[in-house]
Every structure is written in structure tokens, then in C-alpha cells.
Amino acid sequence: MVVIKKYPNRRLYDSSQSKYVNLDFIKTLINDRTEFKIVDSKTEADITKSVLLQIISESEANEQQSLLTDVLLKQLIRFYDSDMEVFVRQYLEQSIVQFIAQQDKVQGLMKNMVDNSPIGMFSKIMEQNMSTWNLNPKNKKDN
């Protein structure tokens, strides 16, 4: 697990690479599905959630990048301090996990379709022919 330390000057430091990083680096870790934790440099308290919320907040400020509508945010706020809070948290988490799993399956199917399409097959044949041609000793003499 990558440990990021947040210093009082608001700088983030990746101790595994011994370098300062920014929120874009944290986004890259998320997109690469790399496990990480962000801790306060003085108290060692886990502050991952607050940094993740900062990333979401900055992303939501950009209207073209926004996922959370005002209606959705109001609905979520209504669930805080209610009997349904734990249920909603679990439901949302499981829904996102299932959505990502389905997305991965669809991307795999699409890649498989492209690889097995006539153009994909032709491309594979051309690659095989080129590698065979490059391995032929007679062709190496000509170069």
C-alpha cells in the first residue's frame, strides 16, 4: 500500500517514491486501482477520506465533469443521521462495484470483438508475416 503524508503546508509526499505529489497523482493511483492511504504528517491520522472529498469537490466544480447533480446531493444529504444511512452506504458501494465490474466485462467483450473482426484478424496475420519475414536469415542478408 502506498502511504502519502500530508504536511501542514498542504503538500502531499509519497514516501514510497520519496517525492512530493499532487491531487492529479492521487487520481492516477485511483484510476490504476492502486491501494493507498493518506495520513497527517504530525498525528499519523488517516485523512484519506477528506482528500478524496477534496478531489470530488474540485471535480464537481467543473460542470462538464460533474457526476453529482443538485437533486442527487440533496437526496444523499437526507440520508445522513437517518435509520437508512448504513443501508444507503452499503447499497451505493455495492452498486458502484457492480457497475465497474460490468464496465470491465463490456470493455473486454469489445476488445475481443475488435481483435476477432476481419480487420483485427488481418492485422494479426500481417504481424505474424512480418515477424516471420524478419526471422528469415535470407531477408537479414538483404538488409
Side-chain angles (χ1 to χ4, degrees):
M1 175 177 294
V2 175
V3 177
I4 310 286
K5 290 187 177 187
K6 186 171 184 181
Y7 287 91
N9 62 3
R10 298 176 55 185
R11 293 193 71 186
L12 300 168
Y13 186 78
D14 179 354
S15 53
S16 69
Q17 297 183 31
S18 300
K19 69 177 188 176
Y20 286 99
V21 297
N22 57 22
L23 293 179
D24 286 334
F25 177 80
I26 304 296
K27 284 185 195 179
T28 301
L29 292 177
I30 294 167
N31 290 333
D32 293 345
R33 298 179 184 173
T34 303
E35 290 297 316
F36 66 92
K37 172 168 89 167
I38 303 169
V39 296
D40 183 273
S41 64
K42 286 184 179 177
T43 65
E44 295 291 318
D46 187 342
I47 58 169
T48 306
K49 186 183 242 180
S50 67
V51 173
L52 294 176
L53 287 169
Q54 180 183 354
I55 292 170
I56 289 172
S57 179
E58 288 180 11
S59 296
E60 286 296 313
N62 180 351
E63 283 299 318
Q64 284 100 14
Q65 201 174 4
S66 179
L67 291 175
L68 306 173
T69 64
D70 290 349
V71 173
L72 177 60
L73 289 170
K74 289 174 188 175
Q75 294 292 344
L76 287 174
I77 291 168
R78 286 187 185 107
F79 283 110
Y80 283 94
D81 298 326
S82 76
D83 296 338
M84 299 295 288
E85 183 178 347
V86 173
F87 172 75
V88 170
R89 179 184 328 132
Q90 291 172 343
Y91 174 78
L92 291 173
E93 192 171 310
Q94 290 173 1
S95 295
I96 293 292
V97 167
Q98 287 299 320
F99 180 81
I100 290 170
Q102 286 299 107
Q103 186 181 25
D104 289 346
K105 283 182 186 176
V106 168
Q107 286 176 345
L109 287 172
M110 292 300 289
K111 182 182 181 324
N112 193 21
M113 285 175 46
V114 169
D115 288 347
N116 293 324
S117 71
I119 293 173
M121 301 281 261
F122 181 74
S123 178
K124 285 180 187 177
I125 291 169
M126 290 300 295
E127 287 174 17
Q128 289 173 348
N129 287 345
M130 288 300 292
S131 64
T132 302
W133 187 76
N134 287 333
L135 290 176
N136 187 342
K138 183 179 179 184
N139 290 331
K140 288 184 180 182
K141 288 180 191 174
D142 294 341
N143 288 335

